[in-house]
Amino acid sequence: MLQAVLIRFAVVASARLGERVLASLREDFVDRILALPLSTVERAGAGDLLTRTTRDVDALSKCVRFAVPETMIATLTVGLIVGALLLVSPLFAVSLLIAVPILVVGTRWYLRRAPAGYLRENASYSQVTDGLAETVEGARTVEALGRQWQRVARSDRDLRRSWLAERYTLFLRTVFWPVVEVGYVLPVVATLLAGGWLYLQHQVTLGQVTAAVLYAQMLVDPLDRLLSWLDEVQVGAASLARLLGVANVSSPRSSPLSNPTVPASTSPTCGSPTSPGVRCCTASRCR
């Protein structure tokens, strides 16, 4: 009952946080777009802007609402289970260390390649949306000039790039997930074998062995959730990078006051020694 109440409040809090983040991101994105020069916005294309304001914002909102709370809960659960296992007997902690090298190596391999892969995947979605938007907006012109084959070829190229990007991230997952699945099973098997040997040596009781194996089995679920949501965190990080990347292309519009190489005024100064013949006029008279 207590767990159900805590889960309910956690879900409500994460949903509220996600909606606030979602609204803030969209408003901030629109402000940054409006601050850009018009030529830069037009060069980016409507499809890219549409993808950033819809898919990227939604992916980041999902990451904030679900991935981050689930990751924190899974991390806390792993810590509590490991602490309980150490209380049963510190000798069983050695069996958990077998999975550490496998999980660390697999996770580092995945994290070195995943950010660039997901950025490329999100960029390919923008290209597909941009191409379709241009085709729809200029449908009459394309039909009048007989350029249908060019638009079809453009869509085929965009879809192929998107397919290659998705295949690469799928390859990363097909390598990463089997590795971590092996890391889940090894601690349970190692704990059972170590517990049996320690029991035969009369160093632990049968109850301690049973509790240790159950705790090792309980580690599977939080570790699985932690590493499963890691993929969603990578998607959210790529979406956040695309949203924040708008600020990197913003540049102040050039003006005479902001450019020191352009004089603010080309008219001679009244009373200047370089222009003695200039007549200076005020509101009342000229001299």
Side-chain angles (χ1 to χ4, degrees):
M1 182 64 183
L2 179 60
Q3 182 181 6
V5 174
L6 293 176
I7 291 176
R8 186 261 178 191
F9 283 105
V11 171
V12 171
S14 63
R16 290 178 177 175
L17 176 62
E19 292 299 328
R20 287 197 297 267
V21 170
L22 182 64
S24 176
L25 284 173
R26 283 179 172 164
E27 293 172 0
D28 187 52
F29 181 79
V30 172
D31 292 339
R32 290 177 177 178
I33 289 296
L34 294 177
L36 292 176
L38 183 58
S39 59
T40 304
V41 178
E42 292 177 348
R43 188 165 58 249
D48 182 68
L49 298 178
L50 181 62
T51 304
R52 292 179 189 242
T53 53
T54 55
R55 186 183 184 278
D56 289 336
V57 172
D58 291 340
L60 185 57
S61 175
K62 181 180 179 182
C63 177
V64 173
R65 269 192 278 182
F66 301 105
V68 174
E70 287 288 340
T71 301
M72 294 178 62
I73 293 173
T75 304
L76 180 60
T77 304
V78 169
L80 292 176
I81 293 175
V82 172
L85 185 61
L86 292 176
L87 289 177
V88 172
S89 177
L91 298 175
F92 291 111
V94 180
S95 60
L96 299 180
L97 299 178
I98 297 178
V100 173
I102 299 176
L103 296 178
V104 170
V105 171
T107 304
R108 290 187 62 182
W109 178 88
Y110 176 76
L111 292 179
R112 280 199 303 265
R113 295 163 175 82
Y118 283 109
L119 280 174
R120 187 164 59 250
E121 181 179 317
N122 288 352
S124 67
Y125 293 151
S126 297
Q127 291 176 350
V128 173
T129 306
D130 191 23
L132 294 177
E134 291 177 357
T135 301
V136 172
E137 292 176 359
R140 294 183 178 179
T141 304
V142 171
E143 184 176 359
L145 298 178
R147 300 292 184 177
Q148 294 90 336
W149 62 273
Q150 290 184 347
R151 304 310 305 174
V152 172
R154 160 73 187 275
S155 299
D156 291 340
R157 288 194 302 269
D158 292 342
L159 290 174
R160 177 170 177 78
R161 281 194 290 264
S162 179
W163 174 73
L164 291 174
E166 288 191 8
R167 191 177 69 170
Y168 177 73
T169 56
L170 178 61
F171 162 74
L172 296 180
R173 293 191 295 270
T174 54
V175 174
F176 176 61
W177 286 349
V179 171
V180 298
E181 288 291 339
V182 173
Y184 298 157
V185 179
L186 286 180
V188 180
V189 177
T191 302
L192 182 59
L193 294 177
W197 184 80
L198 292 173
Y199 176 74
L200 293 177
Q201 300 298 320
H202 303 287
Q203 296 186 18
V204 295
T205 63
L206 186 60
Q208 288 177 312
V209 175
T210 304
V213 173
L214 290 177
Y215 283 138
Q217 177 64 33
M218 290 175 62
L219 280 173
V220 174
D221 179 65
L223 282 176
D224 183 65
R225 286 191 288 119
L226 178 63
L227 296 176
S228 297
W229 281 108
L230 184 63
D231 182 69
E232 193 67 34
V233 170
Q234 295 301 311
V235 176
S239 300
L240 179 62
R242 284 169 52 81
L243 292 173
L244 296 181
V246 177
N248 296 332
V249 299
S250 61
S251 59
R253 296 178 174 85
S254 60
S255 62
L257 296 179
S258 61
N259 191 350
T261 62
V262 179
S265 177
T266 57
S267 59
T269 306
C270 183
S272 173
T274 59
S275 55
V278 175
R279 300 181 64 192
C280 300
C281 297
T282 62
S284 58
R285 60 188 178 88
C286 293
R287 58 181 175 85

